[in-house]
Amino acid sequence: MSKELDKLQPAGIWKYFQEICKIPRPSKKEEKIAAYLVAFGENHGLETIMDDIGNIVIRKPASPGMEDRKTVVLQSHMDMVCEKNSDTLHDFDTDPIQPYIEGEWVKARGTTLGADDGIGIAAQLALLAAKDVAHGPIECLFTMDEETGLTGAFGLKPDLLKGNILLNLDSEDEGEIFIGCAGGKDTLISMNYSRTPVGSGQVGYIVKVSGLKGGHSGDDINKGLGNANKILNRLLWEATHRFDLRLSKFDGGNLRNAIAREAEAIITLPKRFAAEFEAYAKEYHQIVRNEFKVTEPALNVQFKSHDLPDYLFDAATQERLLNALYACPHGVIAMSADIPNFVETSTNLASVKTHENRIEITTSQRSSVESAKDNVGNMVVAVFNLAGGKSVHSDGYPGWTPNPKSEILDISVKSYHDLFNSAPKVLAIHAGLECGLIGEKYPQMDMISYGPTIKGAHSPDERLLINTVQKFWDLTLDILKNIPKEQNA
Ligand SMILES: [Zn+2]
């Protein structure tokens, strides 16, 4: 391994970061890192526990004079996303990650770096090993499989941790402190149709919406992006009423957590309306291009002649489907009243897929307020109830409701200010974090999430901004120094 990282400061955290880079730790294959952590705890004479699901807790008593402070949980996740460039030979199950310095950054040769969340693990280990750091009792929690299922956080038992304050070390922008995240669930709808033959005197078309940006249904939901399902449906709805349009197939969107980028439909209509329909479709293309001219400059609505399909949706189902897709909410439902510019609740009309005798619609809801998430899920159900659809919800995962009056937030904002003479940004994200699940098991837990700056996470471009690691470490130490006394101590 390259020696160049040896010179970086703070030495402790970089030493452990390099050690972790040698240990394979793909999601769901955490045995090697888990064994390393258990050995680390035992070698340091610290209480070390592995729970049934594979999460690890290492406890360290307070430093002298700090015994009466509240216990703090520091948390990271053991696993990393394993992505590599196509020309890189690397076996994530056996080969070490090879970090190197490039300018102001640490990167890995051809692979993800695993600073997400290896730098969090390294900070915990440096702290557990340190003899010169002032802190009250600490518990280091290492969860498993954050990246592909939040498995460790889901399986966390409500009696494993003793502390009531948690520092989640899995955020990626130095200078930002997170105090909330969204929970999510999916609502899936199925509508049956019967097949109806195509009448005489009809022409066929395929209509396609494309050129949209797509984007993440959490992070990007407030960006005013177009939803291909919605844009296509609007044309079909209008043309059904004006030109006797009949629908044979509607396919749009793909992933449940992505905003639909493309959608297409196969349709028929009476030959006598063909010219009018084509003129209307061109006009509609201009209308939506104008509406989305800022956010979706490449939006395209195109139609082409198509062979007549073998069958159509029955007319009643078509009418109910197009009405329901029109009425189904999509996008931001509510903004947070506590946190500026934070989306509290949203829903994504993710996909519409035609199967042999049924149409399946996938939607997904997010909110940092559990009851609001259920409410918007029910809105979707209600619309499709009117249309005779059958809906089911997935179990989903809970959000983390921001608490702007949090004690640990006040402490960390003050620490940040004292150390760096500037105010950190206090934010919440409209996507999932483990804190949502931890808060569900430990409702009294006072939590923040922060970390050094990582760019390109989950890709071979992942890189860690070197000078933010020192700030991350200094902030962590200062927070620990300022943890208040246990009230009844
Ligand atoms: Zn992470």
Side-chain angles (χ1 to χ4, degrees), residues 39-51:
F40 175 95
E42 288 169 354
N43 292 338
H44 285 79
L46 301 170
E47 183 187 355
T48 302
I49 302 164
M50 187 189 283
D51 71 8

Side-chain angles (χ1 to χ4, degrees), residues 173-248:
D173 273 297
E174 193 283 323
E176 297 182 349
I177 296 176
F178 287 87
I179 60 166
C181 74
K185 73 169 169 187
D186 300 339
T187 303
L188 312 170
I189 302 105
S190 172
M191 290 177 73
N192 293 329
Y193 65 89
S194 36
R195 296 172 173 205
T196 308
V198 180
S200 58
Q202 305 287 307
V203 288
Y205 290 97
I206 181 162
V207 185
K208 192 165 179 173
V209 174
S210 62
L212 295 168
K213 289 179 186 158
H216 186 261
S217 68
D219 296 337
D220 299 323
I221 200 73
N222 60 344
K223 297 196 174 142
L225 302 175
N227 177 326
N229 297 322
K230 281 286 192 183
I231 292 170
L232 176 62
N233 186 73
R234 182 169 153 197
L235 178 148
L236 301 175
W237 188 90
E238 184 87 20
T240 297
H241 300 125
R242 285 170 63 179
F243 312 116
D244 265 346
L245 175 149
R246 295 297 306 278
L247 190 53
S248 171

Side-chain angles (χ1 to χ4, degrees), residues 77 79 115-117 146-147 169-172 433-434 457-458:
H77 60 84
D79 60 318
D116 169 14
D117 193 13
E146 188 267 351
E147 301 285 2
L169 311 176
D170 189 26
S171 285
E172 295 171 359
L433 286 177
E434 289 175 300
H458 301 188

Side-chain angles (χ1 to χ4, degrees), residues 253-401:
N254 197 4
L255 299 174
R256 44 167 285 287
N257 61 357
I259 300 168
R261 256 180 335 105
E262 295 190 338
E264 63 179 41
I266 295 171
I267 60 166
T268 67
L269 43 91
K271 217 178 225 147
R272 66 179 188 282
F273 288 136
E276 277 181 83
F277 168 75
E278 292 185 11
Y280 164 70
K282 284 178 189 158
E283 184 196 331
Y284 178 72
H285 173 77
Q286 294 307 327
I287 290 170
V288 287
R289 274 185 75 93
N290 179 53
E291 288 177 12
F292 287 97
K293 63 179 179 243
V294 177
T295 55
E296 298 282 11
L299 166 58
N300 247 318
V301 181
Q302 291 158 305
F303 62 88
K304 264 201 311 226
S305 291
H306 193 274
D307 294 341
L308 285 175
D310 294 337
Y311 57 86
L312 303 166
F313 297 167
D314 67 274
T317 301
Q318 174 182 330
E319 177 73 8
R320 288 186 281 122
L321 173 72
L322 297 182
N323 276 316
L325 291 173
Y326 215 140
C328 180
H330 169 83
V332 174
I333 300 294
M335 300 296 291
S336 165
D338 293 324
I339 315 274
N341 301 319
F342 173 51
V343 177
E344 182 204 84
T345 305
S346 72
T347 178
N348 179 38
L349 176 52
S351 71
V352 181
K353 298 283 171 197
T354 301
H355 299 277
E356 214 167 302
N357 290 303
R358 66 183 198 286
I359 304 131
E360 283 186 352
I361 298 133
T362 301
T363 71
S364 93
Q365 290 75 44
R366 296 175 192 269
S367 181
S368 55
V369 178
E370 200 60 10
S371 56
K373 181 183 83 182
D374 293 339
N375 184 40
V376 64
N378 290 344
M379 264 181 224
V380 172
V381 172
V383 166
F384 284 96
N385 278 350
L386 288 172
K390 286 198 178 65
S391 306
V392 287
H393 295 300
S394 70
D395 292 341
Y397 53 92
W400 168 25
T401 304

Side-chain angles (χ1 to χ4, degrees), residues 123-189:
Q124 289 168 297
L125 296 178
L127 203 56
L128 289 169
K131 298 198 162 57
D132 55 353
V133 170
H135 59 75
I138 57 179
E139 297 181 293
C140 287
L141 169 63
F142 307 86
T143 53
M144 51 96 57
D145 191 28
E146 188 267 351
E147 301 285 2
T148 64
L150 298 166
T151 311
F154 263 108
L156 189 68
K157 296 270 170 14
D159 55 1
L160 183 66
L161 302 169
K162 294 178 179 165
N164 288 328
I165 297 172
L166 184 135
L167 310 177
N168 169 285
L169 311 176
D170 189 26
S171 285
E172 295 171 359
D173 273 297
E174 193 283 323
E176 297 182 349
I177 296 176
F178 287 87
I179 60 166
C181 74
K185 73 169 169 187
D186 300 339
T187 303
L188 312 170
I189 302 105

